[in-house]
Amino acid sequence: MNRLDKHRERMHKQANSIGNFLVEGFHYLGLFAIGGAIAIASVSAFFEMFAKGSASVDDILLLFIYLELGAMVGIYFKTNHLPIRFLLYIAITALTRYLIGDVSHHKAPDIGLLYLCGGIFFLALSVLAVRFASYKYPSSKAIDPMGGTVGDEDTTR
């Protein structure tokens, strides 16, 4: 290799290194911001319940939504993967919360109640399908937080 090719290769590696640093920095900054917003919202909701003197089922389900969001951020932080199941759990909890709020206000049952129940049912079937698919067809590679394959013998990084 001639001298210019060596300089070009070194420049390319340095540019990749700087680019990866900036992307990962933005990634962590975003995760901390989202996690902080979830923490602030959940603490605020808890203090509102405390000030009210009681917690309804609606309020408790809201705290479960915050808990699932926090767990989702934590798993994404550790693995760089966003499990679709957590989004489905959050959607099920949100629809259940909406359903309970709708029923508890003694609104006359209408077709919307059936739509909500059907939505919860289909989301539950989706969780079942995702679980079955991940069991039957597991991922061929596990990825670590740095983007490498777990169990790789490559130590050049």
Side-chain angles (χ1 to χ4, degrees):
M1 238 199 254
N2 67 25
R3 204 167 180 198
L4 284 177
D5 285 339
K6 287 181 184 179
H7 286 300
R8 185 190 57 79
E9 187 176 317
R10 189 174 57 198
M11 182 181 67
H12 181 71
K13 284 181 181 179
Q14 288 175 345
N16 273 338
S17 180
I18 292 169
N20 288 339
F21 175 77
L22 292 174
V23 167
E24 287 180 26
F26 180 74
H27 180 245
Y28 288 132
L29 180 67
L31 283 174
F32 282 117
I34 291 168
I38 292 168
I40 290 169
S42 62
V43 167
S44 174
F46 180 78
F47 281 130
E48 285 177 17
M49 285 182 258
F50 190 75
K52 189 170 57 170
S54 65
S56 66
V57 175
D58 206 28
D59 296 330
I60 294 168
L61 287 173
L62 179 62
L63 291 179
F64 270 109
I65 290 172
Y66 288 135
L67 179 67
E68 287 296 325
L69 286 169
M72 190 172 65
V73 168
I75 287 174
Y76 190 70
F77 184 80
K78 289 182 178 180
T79 65
N80 272 354
H81 287 95
L82 185 65
I84 189 72
R85 286 184 297 132
F86 279 88
L87 294 173
L88 293 171
Y89 295 150
I90 291 168
I92 290 170
T93 306
L95 285 178
T96 304
R97 182 176 182 262
Y98 186 76
L99 178 67
I100 289 172
D102 203 28
V103 169
S104 68
H105 290 94
H106 306 292
K107 186 177 171 191
D110 59 359
I111 195 71
L113 184 67
L114 190 60
Y115 290 151
L116 283 173
C117 293
I120 294 169
F121 177 71
F122 283 122
L123 286 169
L125 286 178
S126 299
V127 170
L128 182 65
V130 167
R131 295 285 302 223
F132 177 76
S134 65
Y135 172 76
K136 189 76 173 165
Y137 308 104
S139 175
S140 60
K141 295 186 213 175
I143 307 295
D144 69 9
M146 295 303 290
T149 304
V150 174
D152 247 355
E153 300 303 320
D154 182 22
T155 57
T156 60
R157 279 190 265 166

